[in-house]
Each structure stands twice: as C-alpha cells, then as structure tokens.
Amino acid sequence: MLPRRYPLPALLRLFSTTCRRRSRLPPQPHPPNTDTLPPLPAAKKVPFTVSAHGRSWSDPYHWMRDTSDPDLAALLAAENAYAEAFVGAAGGGGLRARLAAEMRARLPPSAVSPPQPWGPWSYYQYVPNGMEYPVLSRKLRPSGGLAGRFLSYLSDWEKEEVLLDWNMIAEKFGYVHIGSCRISPDHRFLAYTLDTSGGELFSLEVKDLQSKHVIFSSPDKGIVSLAWTDDSENLFYTVCDETLRPNQVFCKKMQSDEPGLLVFMEDDVNCCVDITSTKDFKYITVYVMESGNVREGLWPVQKRTNKVQYFLEHHNGFFYILTNAPLKDTGTTVEGYYLARRRAEKSLMDKWQVVALPGSDCTFQDMDIFHEHLVLFLQKDGLPLFCSIDLPVQIDFQEPKELGDFAPWFFPIPSSLCSILPGPNNDFMSSTFRMVVSSPVIPDLTVDYDMRKKTFTIVDQEEVTGLCSSLYTVGQSNVSSIQQNLQFIEDSQSWSDLSKLLSCERVQVVSHDGVSIPLVILYSREAHIHGESPGILYGYGAYGEDLDKSWCSDRLSLLARGWVLAFADVRGGGDPSWHLAGTKTNKINSIQDFAACGMHLIKEGLVHESRLCAMGCSAGGLLVGAVVNMLPNLFSAAVLKVPFLDICNTMLDPTLPLTILDYEEFGDPNIPVEFDAIRRYSPYDNLSPGKCYPSILVTASFNDTRVGVWEAAKWVSKVRDVTCPSCSNSVVLKTNMQSGHFGEGGRLMGCEETAFDYAFLMKALGMDDIASK
C-alpha cells in the first residue's frame, strides 16, 4: 500500500459577541495582530451537490478540483501573499530569517555517509559544500595483502567515481526526486527512477557505469520498484495505472534495443504489485521466478488469500518466508508474522516448515538475510529491536520453535527510545549489518554490528555545528558537553547521549476507552518552565507507520526557547494489532488518542493551557483536523502539512489516485457503516459554525498526487466561511506551486520551510517578540 497520506463537551455559542479564542490567551504575550495584513482572500462559491446513501449535501468549493481553473491559480497566489505577509511580520519582520540562520548554522558545510562495502567497491553518498542534494559515488576497495595493495595503488583505486548527482538534475529541471536506485549485481549498471515535477510519475533510466551514458529510458511513467537478475542482463520494473496503483511488471533486456516486455499484470483493483530480488539475486519475487531462468515463468508462493502477506528471501536452497498466513495443524496461534521456510523447488511449494514464532511479548516486522546470518526486525512494547540468528538453522522442526530457541544475538542499542533505520546492507556475503540509530537526544549514529563476533562498532555520528552561547540556540557550556559526549562515543565505543541537556521520557496516557497510548515528551532541562512553556504535539496514526522521533537539529531552536515537543503514538500506526485498532470504523480511536495526549500535557503542567500547538503531515493532518473540530479550544495553533482533510469526498471518487487502495485503511464509503464512520470525523465536513478555531497554517503542494491541492484550499475557504470571522483571519494557506507531496527536499531548503512553520506558531501564540530578542 502506498500511504496517502485524532470527548470533552464544548459549549456552542453561536451568538457570542466576543472571540473566545482571543479571550483565552493570557494578556502577555499578545495574540497575533492581523490589522496590517493584506485583505483576506475570498474564494468564489459554485453550487454543487454531493449524494451518497440517500443523503445529499452542498459543496460550493468542489470547483477547486479543476486545477486548470485560473480562479484557483489566482486564489492560491493571493493566499501565498497573505501567508508571506502573516509570517513575515513575526518578530518585527526578521524572526523567520533568524530561525533559518540558526538551523543552517547547525549543519556542517558538507555531509558524507560512511562507505558501505559491496563486492570490489565501497559505495557512499555525500552532499557537497553548500549544495542541496546528495551525490552517489564509489571507490574501488584495496585488495588484501602487500601485493594486492600495490596493484590497487597502480590501478588508481582511490579515484572517486560519481554515479549520480542529484544537484545536476535539479539544476536542469528545477526539481528532483529519486525514488528507487539499484546497482546491478556485476556493478556495471545503475537503474534509478526519476521524478522532475513532484507528481511522483517516475520515469526509469539505466546508466552504464563504464561508458557513463544512459542506455535506457523507459517511455512509461509511473515506475515504482526495480529488480535485477543475477546475470545483470535483465531488469524488472513495475508500472502504475492512472490511479497510481502499481499493476504491471515489465522485463527489459540490457543488451537489446527492444522495449520492456510485459510479464505480469494485476487485474484486481484492490491489489498492487511490488517486485524485488532475493538478497543473493537468485530469484525475482512477484510471485517467484528463477533469476537465471526467466523463461520458466512465475510460481505462486501460496494461493492468494485476503489479507495474507509473504516476504521471501533465499538461502542455500531454501526460501525463508515472513508471513501472517494462518497456522494449520499446529495448535498454535500467533499475532502478526512468523518465520517459515520451504525448499526452493517449484514442486514443493506447498510444503512449509514453521521456523520461529515471535513469542508472546514481541512481533516480527521484517527480515534481512546474509550468507551466514538471518536478521529479524522486531517490536517489543511498541519499541524496535533487531537480532541475528546463525544460518544454516540446525534445529529439528517437528513443532514450531520460539525465537529464543535459536540463541539470537540482540543488537545493543543505547536507549529504548531509539529509532532504527537499516542501512543498504547489499552484500550477501558480509557478516556485518549496518544500522542508523537515533533518538530525540542522540544525533544519528551509524553502527556496524559484526554478527560473527557479536560486537559492534560506531563508525560515524551526525555532526551538529554552529552552536553558540545565544539563549536561543544552546549555551556555551552545553556546547562543550555535547562535544565531550560525542568524543566519548568515538573513543570508547560506549553509548552516550544528550540527556543531561534534554529530558526525554516515554509515558503512557489513558485514552477514552482505557487503552494506554505511548507519548514521548522532549524538552530542555534548562529552558523549560513548568506550567508556562509552549509545546507542540505531533501525530500521524495511519498505515502502520511509526511516528518519526529520530534526531532533528532544527528542534533545538524550539527547545532552547523553552518549548515542549511531544510525539503521540496513536492507534493506526505501529504493529499490526495497533494499526488495525485505528483503521476503518476504528479511526475514531486515533482521534481520541491524540486528544487525550494533548489534555495530558496541559493537565501535568508540561505545557500552558493556552500555548499547546499541534502538527500533522498528510494523514496526520486528518488526525489534527478532526481533533480541532472535536475540541476547538484544545490547541491554540496548529500546522497541517499536505493534509488529508476532505476525506469523505475523496474516498467517494475511485478515479482519484490511491483511493481504492485506501479502502483498507480508512474504509470503503460504498459500505454504509464505513461511510458513516468517515462522515462523522471528516475534517472538511465537521467544521463547527460560528466557533472560535485556533490559528492554523495549512501547507499544500500543487503537483501533489497523493493529497490533491484542493483539499487544503477547500478546507481553508470553508473555515473562513463558517467559523468565527475574527479567528479565521489567522488561518493561513501556503502552497508550493512547483513540488509534490514530499516538498522539495533540499538540505538547506528544509531549514527555510521549518523556520516558516516555527515562526508561524510563535506569532500565533503572540510569543514572536520574545523569541526574537
């Protein structure tokens, strides 16, 4: 699935002559002044009626669906001018620039990833000094022994070979987004997918790394996944239909002028197709296909069953399969995935062996495989763990075993609050597994785990520069503490973090139905003021995705100003059961969870009751928007980034990209009970007439194919139309007219975008004068 994208009673005073939002704020700092802004943009209304299940309702902003309408372009231009003026006045006119300068100062002039060995090469990426995007490069690895090193010297092994420069593409087209990027097994070819508009209609290019020329450009748009055969002669790739559903698999022969050959098509509109190769490149997996015998065709792993998934790897004649298929004839039940294996023979595909069950206190999430080891990605109590087991497995499988029976080595990590991102780990023959380990108080650590010796090595840590004695970055005494901590890590290979400077804890918040919701709370020990500090509550809660809590140096600009940053792991994200508890008719759980976490921050005095903000991106914007409707007084400001706000109208239109695939996540509106559930929480359809709404910044991207630009534009126009007119002056729409769902993504441009968000929130709370001093 391609992700598209949170009760307390409140009195409705439609006839109140005062603005309750403004009266809630403390007299100092002051609320935002909108008197000097340009006129508030006003959208035209065009009569339009929507009908479903015997009900009809008016949608006068439906016309915005036509993105070619010049009135929409004019409206967005006016909204952008208003947004620039609103934020541009913050802090006397310079707050946004000061915040951006702080963020840029913390970034080193250039950034380099540690080289990743694979075969005869070491691959790495770096961002050149002052540039926005990375460059993919490689160098030959020196051969072993004195003679080998001498021959390597003669062959100029230290010479860098640039494979792909994102910056050159961005300079040519004005925008760049690289989707998939795959080196062939013989290291001769680089296949990559390229988007130059932001619409995610990726094209495919294949570059010959010997001649330095692009030798194939697919005429198709909408390429998603790529897989090489073991001889590097054939490249498989998937192509999307008009709704961005990957549904076709093509095979391109490298030494031929013939176009890609269609080898598979998925006709079920509820399913999409992914393709990959096993780690050893011996098999292509759509169903299963021998990489060296393409003409033999596809084998089914198992007869297709609704909601049953298989993730397959190959090792020494066996397929190792991570699956949630029902266990038969074992008398055992398991929640989520377990590990099975079978002989890699077409005639034996129905003969399974259950290898390992996760146990009662954890779940399997994913796996990787090497010549001598299998790596399992786990979750325990909602937190990530990784472990390796030795291969080949020497246990008799007369009955299912638990993970502990395999003497797993659990990779040491510095904190249970860490986010963990696996590295490329392309080399099947390696005994080293690379991960990037991070947390809200630990700048990104690149760690190599030697699975044979059961030791680890910290090979790199993200550099944080430009820290100074200003009150609004980090104090000089703290600079030395950070440097000492990072040096300690490098010298001793022991874990350390910045917890002496920053408090980071995970608490449990009881939601409306008694379920405990994990909430991670971060603040500066020096700058935080109990009961007075402002704060931001972040949320997502969809597609089983974990909320990102990795290190981000931009946050220091808020933390040093006393802000609290809190991350709510609401239902809808996380492991399979947590995910299902926040989908379809259960989506209300996500919304109530988020509201409960916000109220907890105020109740415990972590955030002032008039200084709590919220932030959500994409489906997280739906979450925040729904809570704002439910409890307009909970948040004093919010930022909704490319938000999925008009969910009811969007889900009723199956021709829109990703809509049918989203039935599994949000519900099928053709089913009355699921339609009713969507209709009850849809942010666009549940605005409260006459009520005071918080100050809200809504961002959109004109070329967004996941969440149409009209969703943000419609919602802002309707807020201005039906809610408190005084409050709605502080509801602001900012649209990027060149990019798509993921923005422009540049390293320095990201500072500008984040600074805009932070400056808006400070102005919305009336704290921009304080922040600028």
Side-chain angles (χ1 to χ4, degrees):
M1 180 178 292
L2 302 177
R4 186 195 298 278
R5 340 252 175 256
Y6 273 153
L8 289 179
L11 295 176
L12 180 63
R13 291 196 273 182
L14 294 174
F15 305 104
S16 173
T17 57
T18 62
C19 176
R20 288 184 296 115
R21 169 62 54 192
R22 298 196 174 205
S23 66
R24 285 182 68 234
L25 291 165
Q28 291 293 331
H30 57 77
N33 180 5
T34 60
D35 295 340
T36 60
L37 296 176
L40 195 66
K44 70 181 183 182
K45 293 184 180 181
V46 177
F48 187 84
T49 300
V50 186
S51 299
H53 301 290
R55 281 184 263 175
S56 297
W57 60 94
S58 175
D59 185 10
Y61 302 112
H62 177 85
W63 65 270
M64 295 182 188
R65 280 274 302 272
D66 180 5
T67 55
S68 65
D69 190 325
D71 287 343
L72 178 62
L75 175 67
L76 297 179
E79 293 284 5
N80 279 348
Y82 187 85
E84 289 291 339
F86 188 98
V87 174
L95 178 58
R96 175 188 178 187
R98 286 189 290 274
L99 289 168
E102 289 176 17
M103 295 171 191
R104 288 193 300 269
R106 296 188 195 104
L107 298 176
S110 60
V112 184
S113 69
Q116 178 88 57
W118 181 21
W121 297 92
S122 287
Y123 291 88
Y124 57 97
Q125 290 186 7
Y126 66 94
V127 180
N129 193 344
M131 302 301 285
E132 292 281 358
Y133 301 104
V135 176
L136 175 62
S137 299
R138 69 181 180 183
K139 290 181 180 180
L140 280 171
R141 300 168 63 190
S143 302
L146 182 61
R149 288 194 294 272
F150 179 70
L151 291 174
S152 296
Y153 172 78
L154 294 178
S155 64
D156 197 18
W157 63 272
E158 286 189 327
K159 182 179 179 181
E160 178 181 85
E161 185 176 334
V162 173
L163 309 184
L164 188 63
D165 187 339
W166 277 247
N167 299 283
M168 293 179 63
I169 301 172
E171 183 177 352
K172 180 178 180 180
F173 295 102
Y175 177 88
V176 60
H177 182 183
I178 302 296
S180 299
C181 194
R182 297 287 184 269
I183 301 285
S184 62
D186 65 358
H187 302 271
R188 177 177 174 179
F189 302 109
L190 170 65
Y192 57 93
T193 61
L194 173 64
D195 172 24
T196 57
S197 71
E200 296 186 76
L201 294 174
F202 290 91
S203 59
L204 168 64
E205 294 188 351
V206 180
K207 184 178 182 180
D208 187 329
L209 300 180
Q210 293 180 358
S211 69
K212 314 298 184 186
H213 296 305
V214 173
I215 60 172
F216 175 68
S217 295
S218 169
D220 299 298
K221 297 290 185 180
I223 314 295
V224 180
S225 50
L226 310 172
W228 287 100
T229 54
D230 61 346
D231 57 9
S232 302
E233 293 185 359
N234 296 284
L235 176 68
F236 289 84
Y237 58 94
T238 59
V239 179
C240 291
D241 64 12
E242 63 278 2
T243 67
L244 296 188
R245 177 181 68 95
N247 71 321
Q248 298 179 82
V249 179
F250 287 83
C251 178
K252 167 61 183 173
K253 190 172 181 63
M254 287 296 100
Q255 306 300 326
S256 170
D257 294 331
E258 295 294 319
L261 174 68
L262 178 65
V263 297
F264 179 79
M265 177 178 287
E266 176 55 65
D267 295 321
D268 188 341
V269 297
N270 297 293
C271 297
C272 56
V273 178
D274 188 27
I275 188 169
T276 187
S277 57
T278 56
K279 186 73 165 282
D280 58 6
F281 290 103
K282 292 185 181 296
Y283 292 88
I284 303 294
T285 62
V286 183
Y287 286 1
V288 177
M289 178 187 297
E290 284 190 67
S291 180
N293 189 12
V294 173
R295 295 185 178 183
E296 186 68 20
L298 302 169
W299 318 344
V301 174
Q302 191 78 290
K303 183 179 178 180
R304 182 180 296 186
T305 304
N306 187 36
K307 298 183 180 180
V308 172
Q309 294 181 307
Y310 311 89
F311 302 94
L312 181 146
E313 271 295 353
H314 175 259
H315 182 273
N316 196 28
F318 283 94
F319 288 133
Y320 284 80
I321 306 165
L322 205 62
T323 181
N324 61 347
L327 287 166
K328 299 178 180 179
D329 305 323
T330 64
T332 303
T333 60
V334 61
E335 180 179 310
Y337 297 95
Y338 59 92
L339 182 67
R341 78 172 184 178
R342 60 172 55 172
R343 286 282 181 185
E345 298 177 20
K346 189 173 182 179
S347 60
L348 299 175
M349 291 299 281
D350 61 336
K351 299 186 181 298
W352 290 64
Q353 290 178 314
V354 178
V355 176
L357 304 177
S360 60
D361 59 347
C362 68
T363 59
F364 292 162
Q365 301 292 307
D366 205 345
M367 67 175 177
D368 199 354
I369 204 162
F370 297 82
H371 179 57
E372 295 179 343
H373 304 92
L374 176 74
V375 178
L376 287 168
F377 307 8
L378 315 170
Q379 266 200 356
K380 183 175 182 179
D381 298 325
L383 300 170
L385 290 172
F386 282 66
C387 73
S388 65
I389 60 176
D390 295 339
L391 291 178
V393 172
Q394 303 293 344
I395 291 180
D396 180 21
F397 297 112
Q398 297 301 317
E399 60 183 33
K401 305 292 182 181
E402 291 204 355
L403 180 59
D405 296 326
F406 296 86
W409 178 50
F410 286 90
F411 298 170
I413 57 175
S415 164
S416 61
L417 295 177
C418 282
S419 298
I420 302 175
L421 182 66
N425 296 308
N426 291 314
D427 195 341
F428 178 73
M429 301 305 295
S430 176
S431 62
T432 299
F433 188 83
R434 174 166 291 179
M435 300 193 314
V436 177
V437 180
S438 177
S439 87
V441 296
I442 301 177
D444 290 4
L445 287 162
T446 302
V447 187
D448 282 350
Y449 293 86
D450 189 321
M451 297 177 286
R452 188 179 298 155
K453 297 179 180 178
K454 296 181 172 49
T455 60
F456 69 89
T457 303
I458 299 170
V459 296
D460 186 65
Q461 179 146 37
E462 178 184 332
E463 184 181 357
V464 183
T465 66
L467 303 178
C468 66
S469 58
S470 167
L471 174 64
Y472 299 114
T473 52
V474 177
Q476 186 62 46
S477 62
N478 293 343
V479 177
S480 60
S481 298
I482 292 175
Q483 292 171 341
Q484 289 171 6
N485 282 342
L486 302 190
Q487 187 66 43
F488 177 71
I489 292 174
E490 183 177 349
D491 292 345
S492 71
Q493 294 295 295
S494 298
W495 305 116
S496 185
D497 59 31
L498 308 181
S499 59
K500 291 183 180 180
L501 311 175
L502 304 173
S503 172
C504 184
E505 63 175 339
R506 186 175 188 253
V507 301
Q508 299 290 330
V509 177
V510 178
S511 191
H512 67 291
D513 55 357
V515 174
S516 294
I517 311 303
L519 178 66
V520 174
I521 304 170
L522 174 69
Y523 58 86
S524 165
R525 297 185 186 276
E526 179 180 354
H528 177 255
I529 303 175
H530 187 81
E532 293 296 325
S533 282
I536 302 175
L537 179 63
Y538 296 85
Y540 185 71
Y543 303 105
E545 294 289 331
D546 291 320
L547 185 62
D548 181 22
K549 295 180 283 292
S550 58
W551 169 262
C552 176
S553 63
D554 292 347
R555 296 183 191 134
L556 293 175
S557 291
L558 292 179
L559 293 168
R561 288 171 167 87
W563 286 63
V564 174
L565 306 180
F567 306 85
D569 286 313
V570 303
R571 282 171 281 188
D575 64 33
S577 62
W578 198 249
H579 172 221
L580 289 175
T583 61
K584 294 188 175 182
T585 57
N586 293 324
K587 189 62 187 174
I588 191 63
N589 288 332
S590 308
I591 298 163
Q592 295 278 17
D593 295 348
F594 195 72
C597 290
M599 289 184 283
H600 174 87
L601 294 173
I602 294 171
K603 178 182 177 183
E604 296 300 316
L606 291 158
V607 177
H608 189 283
E609 65 174 348
S610 297
R611 293 174 181 163
L612 177 61
C613 306
M615 189 175 292
C617 179
S618 193
L622 181 156
L623 180 73
V624 176
V627 175
V628 168
N629 285 338
M630 179 190 299
L631 299 170
N633 286 327
L634 180 58
F635 302 114
S636 293
V639 177
L640 310 181
K641 304 177 75 63
V642 290
F644 189 23
L645 296 169
D646 191 18
I647 180 173
C648 189
N649 287 316
T650 293
M651 297 298 286
L652 284 168
D653 187 350
T655 67
L656 289 174
L658 306 177
T659 293
I660 294 176
L661 295 178
D662 269 344
Y663 289 170
E664 280 295 309
E665 185 68 26
F666 300 105
D668 183 350
N670 299 299
I671 301 172
V673 65
E674 295 184 5
F675 167 81
D676 289 341
I678 294 170
R679 183 75 178 168
R680 279 195 294 270
Y681 68 74
S682 170
Y684 181 71
D685 298 296
N686 289 280
L687 294 169
S688 299
K691 278 197 175 182
C692 295
Y693 268 54
S695 301
I696 300 178
L697 169 62
V698 185
T699 70
S701 293
F702 192 79
N703 296 322
D704 194 338
T705 52
R706 297 184 182 233
V707 180
V709 64
W710 58 85
E711 299 217 10
K714 288 175 65 176
W715 188 85
V716 168
S717 296
K718 190 172 180 180
V719 167
R720 300 230 185 96
D721 184 35
V722 306
T723 68
C724 169
S726 297
C727 294
S728 61
N729 286 336
S730 299
V731 175
V732 175
L733 172 64
K734 183 175 184 286
T735 303
N736 188 319
M737 301 301 291
Q738 284 77 45
S739 70
H741 193 67
F742 299 103
E744 298 191 53
R747 182 166 174 258
L748 301 176
M749 285 188 289
C751 296
E752 298 292 337
E753 180 179 332
T754 303
F756 193 97
D757 298 343
Y758 288 0
F760 172 86
L761 293 176
M762 292 175 188
K763 178 179 174 63
L765 296 188
M767 303 184 72
D768 49 319
D769 289 342
I770 297 174
S772 64
K773 293 177 181 177

